[in-house]
Amino acid sequence: MRNLASVVGRRAVALSSRGSCARQLQSSLRIEATTSTSQPTITINYAQSRVFSHTRPWRREIPVSEPKRGGSKVWASADEAVADIKSGSVLLSAGFGLCGVASTLIAAIRRRGPESLHSLTAVSNNAGSEGRGGLALLTENGQIDRMIMSYLGANKKLEKQYLTGQIAVELCPQGTIAERIRAAGSGIPAFFTPTGGNTLIQSGSLPTRYSPDGTVVEFSAPRETRIFNGKAYLMETALPGDVAILRAWKVDKAGNCVFRHTTKTFAPLMAKAAKLAIVEAENIVEVGELDPSEVNLPGIYIDRIVPATERPQVEIVKTRSPQKFSSSAPKEEAPAQAKRNRIARRAAKELKPGFYVNLGVGIPTLAPSFLPPGQEVWIQSENGILGMGDYPLPEEVDPDIINAGKETTTLVPGASTFDSSESFSMIRGGHVDVSILGALQVSAGGDLANYMIPGKVFKGMGGAMDLVSNPEGTKIVVATEHTAKDGTSKIVAVCGLPVTGRGVVSTVITDLAVFQVDRKKGTLTLTEIAPGVDVEEVRRKTDADFAVAEELIVME
C-alpha cells in the first residue's frame, strides 16, 4: 500500500501514488493519509502560521410572532402570512427537488425583497432548480446567507455564490439532516449516528465559506465521537428552525395535513421543528372532512394556513413509451451503452427474489431491467418510496411521485410512501438488503468516494453516506466503469478523493471485471472477467493490487 496526501478545497488536486503534484488548500492545511493492511488513517495538521475558523454557531435567537391559540389559522394570502418573518431567521423549507416545495410561500418571501428580508439561514435537502423554483429563487435574490443542505446538484449560480463567498454552504448527509430536524421537533438535543464516520464530516474539514478571492475562511464543525459495540458513532445536534414552510395536498381549518406520495419527505419533520409553521394547501377543507386515519400531520404543529396558488413543478420529466416495459432490457447498440448494460446485467445478479434494494442514479438503475421474468424485488428510493416502478407513460406523469434523482417515476402495487426520517431508518438500520451505487473511486480496502472532486465537482453527498453507514446489515455493491474519462483507474490503492465511507464496499462490478473485497484485510480478489478481456489488461487498468481467484469466471 502506498502513501498519499489529499487536500480539500476549491483548487485542491489529489496527490496520487504515481507522483502527481497537489496544490494544498492554502499552505496552512496539510492532510496526510497513511495506510496499513486494513484501512487508511487520516491525520489533519493545521500549521500555526494561519488559523482557519470552523463553523461558528449559526443558531441565534430571532424574535418571531408567537403562535396564537384559538381563532382561525387560515390566512388570506401568503404575503400576509410571511410579512412578519425577521431577517436572520432560520428557515426550514420542505420539499425534494421541486416536489412538495412551498412555491407559493417562497414566491411571497421573494416579493419582500432583500431590503426587507435578508440574511436567512435556509435548511433544505437541496436549493431547488436554478431559475425555475425552490430556494434557488431566494439564493438568486440575495436573501439567503447560509444553506444547510445535502445536495447542491446542478445549481451553477449557487455554486458560484458559494465559491466566491456570497453564501456559506454546510453540507450534511441527507439522513442526518432528516434526523437532526426530527430530533429538534421531539425535544432531543443530540444523538449518535454511524453516518459520516472517518470522513471529512467527522474531522470538520469541509469548506463552508470562502472569501471573495477563493480563500477558505470557514470549515464545517468537527464531530464528537463515541464507541458503541465496538463501532464509532458521530454526535449530531438537533436542527430547529424559526419558521417552517411546507406544502400539503389537503389541510383542514384545524391544521391537519394530508400529503401525497413523495411530497412527505421533509414536510412533517420541519413543521414539528419550527417555532412557527406555515403550510400552503392545494385544498382547504372544513374541520371534520378528513378521516382521522388519513391525517399525516396533526394540526397541533401548524400555525398558519394559506391557499396554494403556484402550480406544482416537475424538475426532470422521464417517461417510457407504451412498448417499453421494465422487464425488457435496453438495446445494446453504441459501445458505451454496451458497457453500461454489461455492468447492469451483472449487477442484477446481486438482486435476489424478494430483496429490498436501493439503487443509485446512473448505471445502478438499469439493473432491474435484466432480472429474469417474474422475479420481483422491492426498490427503495431514499426520498420516501418502497416499491418504486418504471418511468411513467406520458399520460401518467404525476408531479408528486419522483425518485431520488428528481425524475418522474411510478409506484408498483403494494408500494408505500413515507417521510425522510422513516426512509433513513430503513437504510441505517440495515433493513435494505443491497445498495448499488456508482463511484468516482473505490479502494482496495472497500473505501468509496462518489460525491466530490475538489476544484471540479461539488455536488454534495445526498443520501450516499447514510446508504453505506451499515455495511454489516446492507451489502454495498459498486457498479461503475473501470476507468474515468481521462483513462485513470477508478479502482485504486487508496482513495485520493473525499471519502463517502471507509471499508464499506463488498463487491465492485465494472465493464472489465468483478472484484470481491475483504473489508477486514483490505484486499481485492478478481473473481470474474469480461468476455474478450484478459487478466493482464485488468492489471494495466487497475491502480490497486489484487489477487486472482483460482476459478476465474467469465461475465455474461
Side-chain angles (χ1 to χ4, degrees), residues 294-337:
E294 68 176 321
V295 172
N296 302 126
L297 179 69
I300 190 174
Y301 299 110
I302 295 297
D303 303 298
R304 299 175 183 177
I305 305 165
V306 301
T309 57
E310 299 279 340
R311 294 178 60 85
Q313 297 187 66
V314 179
E315 190 159 343
I316 303 173
V317 177
K318 283 287 189 75
T319 60
R320 72 177 195 273
S321 66
Q323 291 75 33
K324 180 182 176 182
F325 300 96
S326 58
S327 59
S328 60
K331 294 181 180 179
E332 298 187 14
E333 296 176 346
Q337 187 61 48

XYZ file of all heavy atoms in Angstrom, residues 294-337:
343
model
N -56.366 9.284 7.875
C -55.588 9.720 6.719
C -54.733 10.945 7.018
O -53.963 11.392 6.171
C -56.511 10.023 5.529
C -57.408 11.236 5.709
C -58.241 11.564 4.476
O -57.717 11.430 3.350
O -59.418 11.947 4.654
N -54.828 11.473 8.217
C -54.036 12.658 8.581
C -52.577 12.265 8.749
O -52.244 11.372 9.532
C -54.572 13.299 9.873
C -53.635 14.402 10.350
C -55.976 13.843 9.657
N -51.683 12.919 8.003
C -50.245 12.660 8.100
C -49.553 13.547 9.126
O -48.505 13.183 9.658
C -49.570 12.876 6.746
C -50.136 12.008 5.650
O -50.546 12.498 4.598
N -50.151 10.703 5.874
N -50.112 14.729 9.365
C -49.524 15.669 10.315
C -50.650 16.317 11.114
O -51.474 17.036 10.552
C -48.713 16.737 9.581
C -48.046 17.802 10.457
C -46.911 17.190 11.270
C -47.518 18.949 9.594
N -50.703 16.089 12.421
C -51.775 16.674 13.234
C -51.692 18.193 13.280
O -50.605 18.793 13.201
C -51.531 16.068 14.619
C -50.734 14.834 14.373
C -49.864 15.153 13.198
N -52.817 18.818 13.439
C -52.922 20.271 13.397
C -52.176 20.991 14.508
O -51.932 22.199 14.396
N -51.780 20.290 15.573
C -51.045 20.936 16.668
C -49.745 21.561 16.178
O -49.226 22.508 16.764
C -50.767 19.917 17.806
C -50.219 20.610 19.044
C -49.829 18.805 17.338
C -50.069 19.688 20.243
N -49.206 21.034 15.073
C -47.917 21.512 14.568
C -48.044 22.662 13.565
O -47.035 23.227 13.143
C -47.157 20.362 13.897
C -46.850 19.218 14.817
C -47.490 17.983 14.668
C -45.934 19.352 15.855
C -47.204 16.920 15.516
C -45.648 18.295 16.710
C -46.286 17.080 16.529
O -46.008 16.031 17.379
N -49.258 22.996 13.160
C -49.463 24.024 12.131
C -50.038 25.288 12.753
O -51.010 25.246 13.506
C -50.408 23.506 11.023
C -49.750 22.337 10.281
C -50.759 24.618 10.045
C -48.461 22.703 9.551
N -49.449 26.434 12.399
C -49.888 27.717 12.941
C -50.644 28.565 11.926
O -51.560 29.296 12.291
C -48.675 28.514 13.445
C -47.888 27.749 14.492
O -48.461 27.465 15.551
O -46.706 27.419 14.236
N -50.241 28.478 10.660
C -50.887 29.299 9.630
C -51.142 28.465 8.372
O -50.315 27.621 7.999
C -50.021 30.512 9.274
C -49.768 31.437 10.460
C -48.817 32.576 10.120
N -48.543 33.400 11.309
C -47.708 34.429 11.338
N -47.064 34.799 10.219
N -47.519 35.106 12.466
N -52.264 28.734 7.747
C -52.659 28.032 6.525
C -52.941 29.071 5.448
O -53.662 30.043 5.693
C -53.931 27.189 6.757
C -53.757 26.227 7.937
C -54.313 26.432 5.489
C -55.064 25.636 8.441
N -52.370 28.876 4.261
C -52.651 29.774 3.147
C -52.998 28.934 1.920
O -52.555 27.791 1.800
C -51.447 30.690 2.829
C -51.074 31.524 4.035
C -50.249 29.881 2.342
N -53.794 29.473 1.004
C -54.082 28.729 -0.227
C -52.860 28.681 -1.132
O -52.141 29.672 -1.279
C -55.221 29.531 -0.861
C -55.080 30.911 -0.294
C -54.522 30.750 1.086
N -52.592 27.522 -1.716
C -51.503 27.378 -2.684
C -51.972 27.925 -4.025
O -52.983 27.472 -4.572
C -51.106 25.916 -2.817
N -51.262 28.887 -4.550
C -51.634 29.493 -5.838
C -50.641 29.150 -6.940
O -50.947 29.350 -8.112
C -51.728 31.021 -5.695
O -50.484 31.534 -5.213
C -52.832 31.400 -4.716
N -49.459 28.653 -6.588
C -48.466 28.241 -7.582
C -48.675 26.767 -7.920
O -48.863 25.930 -7.037
C -47.042 28.446 -7.052
C -46.699 29.896 -6.710
C -46.315 30.691 -7.941
O -45.945 30.075 -8.958
O -46.377 31.935 -7.876
N -48.607 26.446 -9.203
C -48.779 25.064 -9.620
C -47.523 24.253 -9.281
O -46.411 24.769 -9.343
C -49.031 24.980 -11.136
C -50.350 25.607 -11.571
C -50.500 25.517 -13.090
N -50.489 24.137 -13.549
C -51.559 23.352 -13.585
N -52.739 23.818 -13.157
N -51.477 22.117 -14.030
N -47.695 22.965 -8.945
C -46.518 22.127 -8.688
C -45.698 21.936 -9.963
O -46.253 21.874 -11.066
C -47.120 20.801 -8.205
C -48.507 20.781 -8.742
C -48.952 22.212 -8.772
N -44.381 21.852 -9.802
C -43.489 21.678 -10.942
C -42.785 20.325 -10.858
O -42.675 19.731 -9.796
C -42.425 22.777 -10.965
C -42.968 24.177 -11.151
C -41.836 25.180 -11.326
O -41.098 25.152 -12.312
N -41.688 26.075 -10.354
N -42.306 19.872 -12.002
C -41.514 18.652 -12.077
C -40.127 19.037 -12.542
O -39.970 19.696 -13.569
C -42.129 17.626 -13.048
C -41.256 16.377 -13.111
C -43.546 17.265 -12.625
N -39.118 18.634 -11.772
C -37.756 19.015 -12.137
C -37.270 18.275 -13.375
O -36.733 18.865 -14.302
C -36.807 18.745 -10.954
C -35.436 19.342 -11.163
C -34.689 19.525 -9.860
O -35.322 19.494 -8.787
O -33.467 19.709 -9.913
N -37.436 16.943 -13.404
C -36.978 16.143 -14.542
C -38.103 15.201 -14.960
O -38.455 14.274 -14.215
C -35.723 15.328 -14.191
C -34.595 16.242 -13.702
C -35.249 14.524 -15.408
C -33.382 15.493 -13.186
N -38.669 15.421 -16.127
C -39.730 14.560 -16.645
C -39.089 13.415 -17.429
O -38.407 13.631 -18.429
C -40.707 15.327 -17.542
C -41.758 14.380 -18.122
C -41.376 16.455 -16.766
N -39.271 12.199 -16.952
C -38.806 10.997 -17.643
C -40.014 10.106 -17.875
O -40.777 9.827 -16.952
C -37.759 10.260 -16.812
C -36.367 10.879 -16.833
C -35.679 10.645 -18.176
C -34.219 11.059 -18.138
N -33.375 10.104 -17.413
N -40.177 9.649 -19.109
C -41.307 8.776 -19.433
C -40.820 7.580 -20.245
O -39.695 7.565 -20.749
C -42.379 9.522 -20.240
O -41.799 9.997 -21.475
C -42.944 10.703 -19.461
N -41.680 6.584 -20.363
C -41.395 5.429 -21.218
C -42.451 5.355 -22.307
O -43.552 5.928 -22.178
C -41.391 4.137 -20.407
C -42.774 3.687 -19.952
C -42.714 2.346 -19.220
N -44.018 1.735 -19.090
C -44.877 1.964 -18.119
N -44.560 2.835 -17.168
N -46.053 1.343 -18.084
N -42.134 4.698 -23.379
C -43.114 4.513 -24.444
C -44.014 3.344 -24.091
O -43.641 2.482 -23.279
C -42.408 4.238 -25.777
O -41.739 2.987 -25.720
N -45.203 3.258 -24.664
C -46.102 2.142 -24.343
C -45.493 0.781 -24.655
O -45.871 -0.226 -24.065
C -47.321 2.409 -25.238
C -47.292 3.878 -25.472
C -45.850 4.250 -25.542
N -44.529 0.727 -25.571
C -43.931 -0.557 -25.960
C -42.821 -0.982 -25.017
O -42.372 -2.114 -25.033
C -43.354 -0.494 -27.384
C -44.414 -0.384 -28.475
C -45.003 1.014 -28.532
O -44.317 1.993 -28.267
N -46.276 1.111 -28.896
N -42.317 -0.044 -24.201
C -41.184 -0.356 -23.341
C -41.655 -0.625 -21.922
O -42.293 0.204 -21.301
C -40.180 0.803 -23.312
C -38.975 0.527 -22.415
C -38.044 1.721 -22.375
C -36.901 1.485 -21.410
N -35.997 2.633 -21.291
N -41.341 -1.824 -21.440
C -41.691 -2.186 -20.080
C -40.406 -2.467 -19.303
O -39.365 -2.744 -19.874
C -42.594 -3.428 -20.063
C -43.885 -3.207 -20.807
C -44.017 -3.594 -22.128
C -44.955 -2.587 -20.179
C -45.200 -3.378 -22.807
C -46.143 -2.378 -20.864
C -46.254 -2.770 -22.186
N -40.519 -2.395 -17.997
C -39.327 -2.537 -17.156
C -38.676 -3.900 -17.311
O -37.508 -4.073 -17.004
C -39.695 -2.315 -15.687
O -40.686 -3.226 -15.277
N -39.424 -4.917 -17.794
C -38.856 -6.247 -17.927
C -38.047 -6.423 -19.203
O -37.409 -7.449 -19.403
C -39.980 -7.296 -17.895
O -40.889 -7.058 -18.955
N -38.094 -5.454 -20.114
C -37.345 -5.569 -21.365
C -36.026 -4.844 -21.241
O -35.975 -3.695 -20.839
C -38.152 -4.985 -22.534
O -38.432 -3.630 -22.308
N -34.933 -5.525 -21.566
C -33.602 -4.949 -21.406
C -33.351 -3.873 -22.438
O -33.852 -3.935 -23.563
C -32.552 -6.048 -21.549
N -32.542 -2.840 -22.101
C -32.190 -1.821 -23.073
C -31.437 -2.444 -24.248
O -30.711 -3.418 -24.101
C -31.285 -0.874 -22.277
C -31.610 -1.132 -20.849
C -31.994 -2.560 -20.775
N -31.604 -1.882 -25.421
C -30.906 -2.382 -26.598
C -29.427 -2.058 -26.495
O -29.037 -0.978 -26.097
C -31.497 -1.751 -27.869
C -32.934 -2.166 -28.144
C -33.432 -1.528 -29.430
C -34.865 -1.949 -29.711
N -35.385 -1.324 -30.951
N -28.590 -3.035 -26.874
C -27.160 -2.837 -26.860
C -26.734 -2.350 -28.244
O -26.584 -3.128 -29.172
C -26.448 -4.128 -26.475
C -26.813 -4.615 -25.079
C -25.964 -5.795 -24.648
O -24.935 -6.053 -25.300
O -26.341 -6.451 -23.679
N -26.548 -1.066 -28.390
C -26.211 -0.501 -29.687
C -24.822 0.133 -29.629
O -23.845 -0.462 -30.077
C -27.272 0.512 -30.102
C -28.658 -0.111 -30.300
C -29.729 0.918 -30.626
O -29.477 2.122 -30.436
O -30.824 0.512 -31.062
N -24.731 1.311 -29.074
C -23.450 2.008 -29.005
C -22.521 1.286 -28.035
O -22.976 0.679 -27.066
C -23.665 3.448 -28.566
N -21.206 1.356 -28.267
C -20.242 0.709 -27.360
C -20.381 1.176 -25.917
O -20.265 0.371 -24.989
C -18.892 1.109 -27.958
C -19.173 1.339 -29.407
C -20.546 1.909 -29.465
N -20.620 2.482 -25.734
C -20.756 2.997 -24.376
C -21.949 2.367 -23.670
O -21.871 2.005 -22.488
C -20.898 4.516 -24.398
N -23.077 2.222 -24.402
C -24.251 1.608 -23.796
C -24.022 0.122 -23.557
O -24.507 -0.442 -22.565
C -25.478 1.809 -24.692
C -26.792 1.353 -24.063
C -27.114 2.108 -22.789
O -27.042 3.334 -22.755
N -27.452 1.392 -21.726
